[in-house]
Protein backbone atom coordinates (compact mmCIF):
# COMPACT_ATOMS: atom_id res chain seq x y z
CA UNK A 1 0.00 0.00 0.00
CA UNK A 2 1.04 3.57 -0.56
CA UNK A 3 2.78 5.27 2.34
CA UNK A 4 1.51 8.59 3.70
CA UNK A 5 4.48 10.35 2.09
CA UNK A 6 3.67 8.85 -1.27
CA UNK A 7 0.03 9.97 -0.97
CA UNK A 8 1.11 13.47 -0.07
CA UNK A 9 3.58 13.54 -2.95
CA UNK A 10 0.84 12.32 -5.31
CA UNK A 11 -1.52 15.11 -4.28
CA UNK A 12 1.24 17.71 -4.45
CA UNK A 13 2.37 16.68 -7.92
CA UNK A 14 -1.24 16.77 -9.07
CA UNK A 15 -1.65 20.28 -7.63
CA UNK A 16 1.61 21.34 -9.35
CA UNK A 17 0.41 19.89 -12.63
CA UNK A 18 3.62 17.83 -12.66
CA UNK A 19 2.43 14.79 -14.63
CA UNK A 20 5.77 12.95 -14.93
CA UNK A 21 6.26 13.21 -11.17
CA UNK A 22 2.69 12.03 -10.58
CA UNK A 23 3.21 8.98 -12.80
CA UNK A 24 6.60 8.22 -11.27
CA UNK A 25 5.10 8.12 -7.78
CA UNK A 26 2.17 5.98 -8.92
CA UNK A 27 4.69 3.57 -10.45
CA UNK A 28 6.57 3.51 -7.15
CA UNK A 29 3.39 2.55 -5.37
CA UNK A 30 2.85 -0.21 -7.95
CA UNK A 31 6.40 -1.49 -7.48
CA UNK A 32 5.92 -1.56 -3.71
CA UNK A 33 2.64 -3.43 -4.06
CA UNK A 34 4.25 -5.95 -6.42
CA UNK A 35 6.94 -6.64 -3.85
CA UNK A 36 4.28 -7.09 -1.18
CA UNK A 37 2.70 -9.80 -3.34
CA UNK A 38 -0.24 -7.69 -4.56
CA UNK A 39 0.60 -8.38 -8.17
CA UNK A 40 -2.94 -7.93 -9.52
CA UNK A 41 -3.31 -4.48 -7.97
CA UNK A 42 0.24 -3.58 -9.08
CA UNK A 43 -0.53 -4.53 -12.68
CA UNK A 44 -3.85 -2.65 -12.68
CA UNK A 45 -2.13 0.46 -11.37
CA UNK A 46 0.63 0.18 -13.97
CA UNK A 47 -1.93 -0.26 -16.76
CA UNK A 48 -3.84 2.74 -15.51
CA UNK A 49 -0.72 4.90 -15.49
CA UNK A 50 0.33 3.69 -18.94
CA UNK A 51 -3.14 4.42 -20.33
CA UNK A 52 -3.11 7.91 -18.83
CA UNK A 53 0.36 8.60 -20.19
CA UNK A 54 -0.66 7.50 -23.63
CA UNK A 55 -3.89 9.50 -23.57
CA UNK A 56 -2.22 12.73 -22.58
CA UNK A 57 0.48 11.90 -25.11
CA UNK A 58 3.00 12.62 -22.44
CA UNK A 59 5.49 9.91 -21.77
CA UNK A 60 7.44 10.87 -18.67
CA UNK A 61 10.24 13.07 -19.92
CA UNK A 62 13.62 12.33 -18.46
CA UNK A 63 14.25 15.95 -17.51
CA UNK A 64 11.17 16.02 -15.33
CA UNK A 65 12.23 12.87 -13.51
CA UNK A 66 15.75 14.10 -12.80
CA UNK A 67 15.23 15.57 -9.33
CA UNK A 68 13.36 12.42 -8.41
CA UNK A 69 16.13 10.08 -9.44
CA UNK A 70 19.06 11.69 -7.66
CA UNK A 71 20.22 8.90 -5.35
CA UNK A 72 19.62 10.09 -1.80
CA UNK A 73 21.51 9.51 1.42
CA UNK A 74 23.46 6.29 1.59
CA UNK A 75 22.53 5.38 -1.98
CA UNK A 76 24.48 8.41 -3.14
CA UNK A 77 27.72 6.76 -2.07
CA UNK A 78 26.87 3.54 -3.95
CA UNK A 79 25.42 4.86 -7.18
CA UNK A 80 26.49 7.60 -9.52
CA UNK A 81 23.85 8.89 -11.88
CA UNK A 82 24.23 10.35 -15.36
CA UNK A 83 21.96 11.17 -18.27
CA UNK A 84 23.87 10.07 -21.35
CA UNK A 85 22.92 11.36 -24.77
CA UNK A 86 25.01 8.84 -26.68
CA UNK A 87 23.35 7.10 -29.58
CA UNK A 88 23.76 3.67 -31.10
CA UNK A 89 25.32 5.23 -34.21
CA UNK A 90 28.18 6.64 -32.10
CA UNK A 91 29.53 3.15 -31.44
CA UNK A 92 31.50 0.87 -33.71
CA UNK A 93 30.19 -2.63 -33.07
CA UNK A 94 30.19 -6.02 -34.75
CA UNK A 95 26.98 -6.95 -36.57
CA UNK A 96 26.24 -9.58 -33.95
CA UNK A 97 26.54 -7.20 -31.00
CA UNK A 98 24.60 -4.47 -32.83
CA UNK A 99 21.84 -6.95 -33.58
CA UNK A 100 21.57 -8.03 -29.93
CA UNK A 101 21.64 -4.45 -28.75
CA UNK A 102 18.96 -3.39 -31.23
CA UNK A 103 16.85 -6.29 -30.07
CA UNK A 104 17.07 -5.26 -26.40
CA UNK A 105 16.19 -1.67 -27.32
CA UNK A 106 13.20 -2.82 -29.37
CA UNK A 107 11.82 -5.01 -26.59
CA UNK A 108 12.31 -2.19 -24.09
CA UNK A 109 10.53 0.30 -26.34
CA UNK A 110 7.67 -2.13 -26.88
CA UNK A 111 7.44 -3.24 -23.26
CA UNK A 112 3.84 -2.07 -22.90
CA UNK A 113 2.78 -4.17 -25.90
CA UNK A 114 4.67 -7.17 -24.49
CA UNK A 115 3.17 -6.64 -21.03
CA UNK A 116 -0.35 -6.82 -22.45
CA UNK A 117 0.44 -10.43 -23.33
CA UNK A 118 2.08 -11.14 -20.01
CA UNK A 119 5.58 -11.00 -21.52
CA UNK A 120 8.55 -9.15 -20.08
CA UNK A 121 11.17 -7.47 -22.27
CA UNK A 122 14.83 -8.53 -22.24
CA UNK A 123 16.39 -6.42 -19.52
CA UNK A 124 19.45 -8.18 -18.15
CA UNK A 125 22.56 -7.71 -20.23
CA UNK A 126 26.03 -9.14 -19.61
CA UNK A 127 28.85 -7.29 -21.38
CA UNK A 128 32.26 -8.89 -21.68
CA UNK A 129 35.44 -7.75 -23.38
CA UNK A 130 38.87 -6.19 -22.92
CA UNK A 131 39.20 -2.64 -21.53
CA UNK A 132 38.37 0.12 -24.00
CA UNK A 133 36.13 -1.91 -26.31
CA UNK A 134 32.91 -0.16 -25.37
CA UNK A 135 31.30 -1.83 -22.35
CA UNK A 136 30.59 1.36 -20.44
CA UNK A 137 29.73 3.08 -23.74
CA UNK A 138 27.17 0.38 -24.54
CA UNK A 139 25.47 0.94 -21.18
CA UNK A 140 25.44 4.67 -21.95
CA UNK A 141 23.89 4.01 -25.34
CA UNK A 142 21.12 1.87 -23.85
CA UNK A 143 20.31 4.67 -21.37
CA UNK A 144 20.62 7.35 -24.06
CA UNK A 145 18.43 5.53 -26.57
CA UNK A 146 15.75 4.74 -23.99
CA UNK A 147 15.85 8.19 -22.38
CA UNK A 148 16.56 6.64 -18.96
CA UNK A 149 19.01 7.71 -16.28
CA UNK A 150 22.15 5.60 -15.99
CA UNK A 151 23.08 4.51 -12.48
CA UNK A 152 26.57 3.06 -12.15
CA UNK A 153 27.78 0.83 -9.33
CA UNK A 154 31.46 -0.03 -9.10
CA UNK A 155 31.32 -3.41 -7.41
CA UNK A 156 35.05 -3.53 -6.72
CA UNK A 157 34.84 -0.18 -4.91
CA UNK A 158 31.77 -1.24 -2.93
CA UNK A 159 33.51 -4.48 -1.98
CA UNK A 160 36.66 -2.82 -0.69
CA UNK A 161 34.83 0.07 0.95
CA UNK A 162 32.07 -1.86 2.68
CA UNK A 163 33.78 -5.19 3.28
CA UNK A 164 31.40 -7.22 5.43
CA UNK A 165 28.36 -5.10 4.61
CA UNK A 166 28.50 -5.43 0.84
CA UNK A 167 25.46 -7.68 0.61
CA UNK A 168 23.41 -5.17 2.61
CA UNK A 169 24.55 -2.40 0.27
CA UNK A 170 23.59 -4.47 -2.75
CA UNK A 171 20.13 -4.87 -1.23
CA UNK A 172 19.79 -1.08 -1.16
CA UNK A 173 20.75 -0.89 -4.82
CA UNK A 174 18.21 -3.54 -5.80
CA UNK A 175 15.51 -1.72 -3.79
CA UNK A 176 16.32 1.48 -5.66
CA UNK A 177 16.24 -0.36 -8.95
CA UNK A 178 12.71 -1.59 -8.25
CA UNK A 179 11.56 1.90 -7.29
CA UNK A 180 13.13 4.00 -10.00
CA UNK A 181 13.22 2.68 -13.53
CA UNK A 182 16.61 3.24 -15.06
CA UNK A 183 19.63 1.52 -16.53
CA UNK A 184 21.75 0.08 -13.70
CA UNK A 185 25.33 -0.74 -14.60
CA UNK A 186 27.23 -3.08 -12.31
CA UNK A 187 30.72 -2.33 -13.52
CA UNK A 188 33.75 -4.55 -12.91
CA UNK A 189 31.75 -7.54 -11.72
CA UNK A 190 34.99 -9.56 -11.98
CA UNK A 191 35.47 -8.41 -8.39
CA UNK A 192 32.97 -11.20 -7.62
CA UNK A 193 34.89 -13.74 -9.68
CA UNK A 194 37.24 -14.58 -6.88
CA UNK A 195 40.46 -13.22 -8.39
CA UNK A 196 40.99 -10.95 -5.41
CA UNK A 197 41.64 -13.79 -3.05
CA UNK A 198 45.01 -12.36 -2.11
CA UNK A 199 43.51 -9.17 -0.79
CA UNK A 200 39.97 -10.04 0.17
CA UNK A 201 38.27 -12.66 2.18
CA UNK A 202 37.12 -15.49 -0.11
CA UNK A 203 34.17 -16.33 2.12
CA UNK A 204 32.92 -12.76 1.98
CA UNK A 205 33.23 -12.60 -1.82
CA UNK A 206 31.30 -15.84 -2.10
CA UNK A 207 28.55 -14.46 0.15
CA UNK A 208 28.36 -11.29 -1.90
CA UNK A 209 28.22 -13.25 -5.15
CA UNK A 210 25.43 -15.40 -3.74
CA UNK A 211 23.44 -12.35 -2.65
CA UNK A 212 23.98 -10.74 -6.04
CA UNK A 213 22.69 -13.88 -7.76
CA UNK A 214 19.73 -14.07 -5.43
CA UNK A 215 18.81 -10.40 -5.92
CA UNK A 216 19.07 -10.84 -9.69
CA UNK A 217 16.83 -13.87 -9.50
CA UNK A 218 14.17 -12.19 -7.34
CA UNK A 219 14.15 -8.92 -9.18
CA UNK A 220 10.98 -8.28 -11.18
CA UNK A 221 11.53 -4.56 -11.69
CA UNK A 222 11.24 -2.65 -14.94
CA UNK A 223 14.84 -1.46 -14.85
CA UNK A 224 17.54 -2.58 -17.25
CA UNK A 225 20.38 -4.36 -15.44
CA UNK A 226 23.79 -4.45 -17.06
CA UNK A 227 26.86 -6.21 -15.73
CA UNK A 228 30.25 -5.57 -17.30
CA UNK A 229 33.41 -7.61 -16.96
CA UNK A 230 36.90 -7.73 -18.50
CA UNK A 231 37.55 -11.32 -17.48
CA UNK A 232 35.01 -13.70 -18.85
CA UNK A 233 36.67 -16.84 -17.54
CA UNK A 234 36.65 -15.69 -13.95
CA UNK A 235 32.93 -15.40 -13.61
CA UNK A 236 30.82 -17.92 -11.91
CA UNK A 237 28.76 -19.93 -14.41
CA UNK A 238 25.72 -19.27 -12.28
CA UNK A 239 26.02 -15.60 -13.17
CA UNK A 240 25.58 -16.33 -16.88
CA UNK A 241 22.24 -18.00 -16.47
CA UNK A 242 20.76 -14.86 -14.92
CA UNK A 243 21.17 -12.76 -18.04
CA UNK A 244 18.83 -12.49 -21.01
CA UNK A 245 21.63 -11.69 -23.39
CA UNK A 246 25.43 -11.76 -23.41
CA UNK A 247 27.33 -9.37 -25.67
CA UNK A 248 30.95 -10.21 -26.27
CA UNK A 249 32.95 -7.13 -27.26
CA UNK A 250 36.40 -7.61 -28.76
CA UNK A 251 39.34 -5.62 -30.10
CA UNK A 252 38.39 -3.99 -33.43
CA UNK A 253 38.93 -5.70 -36.78
CA UNK A 254 40.32 -3.77 -39.79
CA UNK A 255 37.00 -2.27 -40.83
CA UNK A 256 36.30 -1.20 -37.25
CA UNK A 257 39.71 0.49 -36.99
CA UNK A 258 38.83 2.53 -40.07
CA UNK A 259 35.39 3.47 -38.69
CA UNK A 260 36.75 4.56 -35.29
CA UNK A 261 39.39 6.79 -36.93
CA UNK A 262 36.99 8.23 -39.51
CA UNK A 263 34.40 9.01 -36.83
CA UNK A 264 36.96 10.80 -34.69
CA UNK A 265 38.35 12.78 -37.63
CA UNK A 266 34.95 13.54 -39.12
CA UNK A 267 35.47 17.29 -38.90
CA UNK A 268 38.84 17.16 -40.70
CA UNK A 269 39.84 16.83 -44.29
CA UNK A 270 41.66 13.55 -44.60
CA UNK A 271 44.68 13.64 -46.87
CA UNK A 272 44.46 10.44 -48.90
CA UNK A 273 44.93 8.34 -45.80
CA UNK A 274 46.74 5.08 -46.50
CA UNK A 275 44.79 2.43 -44.63
CA UNK A 276 47.34 -0.22 -45.60
CA UNK A 277 49.83 1.64 -43.39
CA UNK A 278 47.40 2.71 -40.67
CA UNK A 279 45.69 -0.61 -40.00
CA UNK A 280 48.86 -2.58 -39.10
CA UNK A 281 49.84 0.25 -36.73
CA UNK A 282 46.52 -0.18 -34.93
CA UNK A 283 46.81 -3.94 -34.36
CA UNK A 284 46.28 -4.92 -30.76
CA UNK A 285 44.82 -1.55 -29.79
CA UNK A 286 41.35 -1.13 -28.31
CA UNK A 287 38.68 1.21 -29.72
CA UNK A 288 39.47 3.61 -26.88
CA UNK A 289 43.21 3.71 -27.67
CA UNK A 290 42.56 4.17 -31.38
CA UNK A 291 40.09 6.99 -30.67
CA UNK A 292 42.69 8.71 -28.47
CA UNK A 293 45.36 8.28 -31.15
CA UNK A 294 43.03 9.84 -33.74
CA UNK A 295 42.47 12.80 -31.43
CA UNK A 296 46.21 13.19 -30.93
CA UNK A 297 46.73 13.12 -34.70
CA UNK A 298 44.09 15.83 -35.01
CA UNK A 299 45.82 17.98 -32.39
CA UNK A 300 49.17 17.54 -34.13
CA UNK A 301 47.54 18.70 -37.37
CA UNK A 302 46.00 21.80 -35.81
CA UNK A 303 49.15 22.77 -33.92
CA UNK A 304 51.27 22.57 -37.05
CA UNK A 305 48.80 24.83 -38.86
CA UNK A 306 47.71 22.22 -41.33
CA UNK A 307 44.12 21.55 -42.36
CA UNK A 308 44.54 17.97 -43.53
CA UNK A 309 45.39 14.97 -41.40
CA UNK A 310 48.17 12.89 -42.97
CA UNK A 311 48.82 9.17 -42.76
CA UNK A 312 52.04 9.82 -40.81
CA UNK A 313 50.17 11.81 -38.14
CA UNK A 314 47.86 8.87 -37.54
CA UNK A 315 50.54 6.15 -37.71
CA UNK A 316 52.81 7.99 -35.26
CA UNK A 317 49.94 8.62 -32.85
CA UNK A 318 48.89 4.96 -33.02
CA UNK A 319 52.43 3.74 -32.32
CA UNK A 320 52.52 5.85 -29.18
CA UNK A 321 49.54 4.08 -27.62
CA UNK A 322 49.99 1.28 -25.10
CA UNK A 323 48.92 -2.11 -26.38
CA UNK A 324 46.71 -4.54 -24.44
CA UNK A 325 48.72 -7.59 -23.51
CA UNK A 326 47.17 -10.91 -24.44
CA UNK A 327 45.86 -12.71 -21.39
CA UNK A 328 47.49 -16.02 -22.15
CA UNK A 329 48.29 -16.45 -18.48
CA UNK A 330 44.77 -17.44 -17.44
CA UNK A 331 43.14 -16.06 -14.32
CA UNK A 332 45.33 -13.51 -12.59
N1 LIG B 1 33.05 0.15 -29.76
C1 LIG B 1 33.44 1.44 -29.71
N2 LIG B 1 33.11 2.30 -30.70
C2 LIG B 1 33.50 3.58 -30.67
N3 LIG B 1 34.19 4.13 -29.65
C3 LIG B 1 34.55 3.34 -28.63
C4 LIG B 1 34.18 1.97 -28.60
N4 LIG B 1 34.66 1.41 -27.46
C5 LIG B 1 35.29 2.40 -26.81
N5 LIG B 1 35.24 3.56 -27.49
C6 LIG B 1 35.83 4.85 -27.06
O1 LIG B 1 36.63 4.62 -25.91
C7 LIG B 1 36.11 5.27 -24.76
C8 LIG B 1 36.17 4.34 -23.55
O2 LIG B 1 35.40 3.17 -23.80
P1 LIG B 1 34.55 2.39 -22.68
O3 LIG B 1 33.18 2.22 -23.19
O4 LIG B 1 34.72 3.09 -21.38
O5 LIG B 1 35.29 0.99 -22.66
P2 LIG B 1 35.21 -0.18 -21.57
O6 LIG B 1 34.10 0.11 -20.64
O7 LIG B 1 35.00 -1.43 -22.38
O8 LIG B 1 36.55 -0.18 -20.90
C9 LIG B 1 34.68 5.66 -25.13
O9 LIG B 1 34.30 6.85 -24.51
C10 LIG B 1 34.76 5.83 -26.63
O10 LIG B 1 35.23 7.11 -26.95
MG1 LIG C 1 34.23 0.44 -18.56
Amino acid sequence: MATNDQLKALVKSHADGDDPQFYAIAMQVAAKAARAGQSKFAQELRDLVNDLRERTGQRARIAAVVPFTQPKGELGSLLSVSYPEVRLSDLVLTDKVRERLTHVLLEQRQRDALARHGLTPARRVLLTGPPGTGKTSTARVIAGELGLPLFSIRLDTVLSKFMGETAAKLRLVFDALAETRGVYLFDEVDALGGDRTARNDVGEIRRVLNSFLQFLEEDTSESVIIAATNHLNLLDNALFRRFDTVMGLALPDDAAVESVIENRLASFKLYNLSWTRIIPAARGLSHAEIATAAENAAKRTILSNRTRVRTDDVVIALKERPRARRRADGPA
Side-chain angles (χ1 to χ4, degrees), residues 135-136 187-188:
K135 298 180 296 298
T136 303
D187 224 344
E188 315 281 342

Side-chain angles (χ1 to χ4, degrees), residues 186-205:
F186 294 84
D187 224 344
E188 315 281 342
V189 288
D190 358 316
L192 298 182
D195 64 329
R196 308 291 170 93
T197 45
R199 274 194 286 142
N200 289 342
D201 167 17
V202 197
E204 165 70 359
I205 289 176

Side-chain angles (χ1 to χ4, degrees), residues 303-317:
L303 296 179
S304 43
N305 285 321
R306 284 183 279 113
T307 52
R308 287 164 193 258
V309 180
R310 300 178 311 197
T311 299
D312 274 348
D313 297 322
V314 181
V315 169
I316 292 168

Side-chain angles (χ1 to χ4, degrees), residues 61 119 137 194:
R61 297 265 325 135
L119 299 168
S137 303

Side-chain angles (χ1 to χ4, degrees), residues 249-319:
L249 306 178
L251 293 181
D253 62 13
D254 293 356
V257 170
E258 236 181 279
S259 302
V260 172
I261 293 175
E262 277 176 348
N263 287 355
R264 272 310 146 110
L265 298 179
S267 61
F268 284 85
K269 289 185 189 132
L270 303 182
Y271 191 73
N272 271 341
L273 287 186
S274 160
W275 295 108
T276 49
R277 285 185 54 216
I278 291 174
I279 284 165
R283 290 261 149 72
L285 290 181
S286 66
H287 300 75
E289 291 297 349
I290 293 169
T292 305
E295 272 165 25
N296 289 342
K299 287 189 210 163
R300 204 185 301 258
T301 306
I302 295 168
L303 296 179
S304 43
N305 285 321
R306 284 183 279 113
T307 52
R308 287 164 193 258
V309 180
R310 300 178 311 197
T311 299
D312 274 348
D313 297 322
V314 181
V315 169
I316 292 168
L318 284 169
K319 286 191 171 155

Side-chain angles (χ1 to χ4, degrees), residues 90-93 130-138 230 260 264 287-288 291:
D90 297 328
L91 282 187
V92 176
L93 302 168
T133 52
K135 298 180 296 298
T136 303
S137 303
T138 300
N230 297 326
V260 172
R264 272 310 146 110
H287 300 75

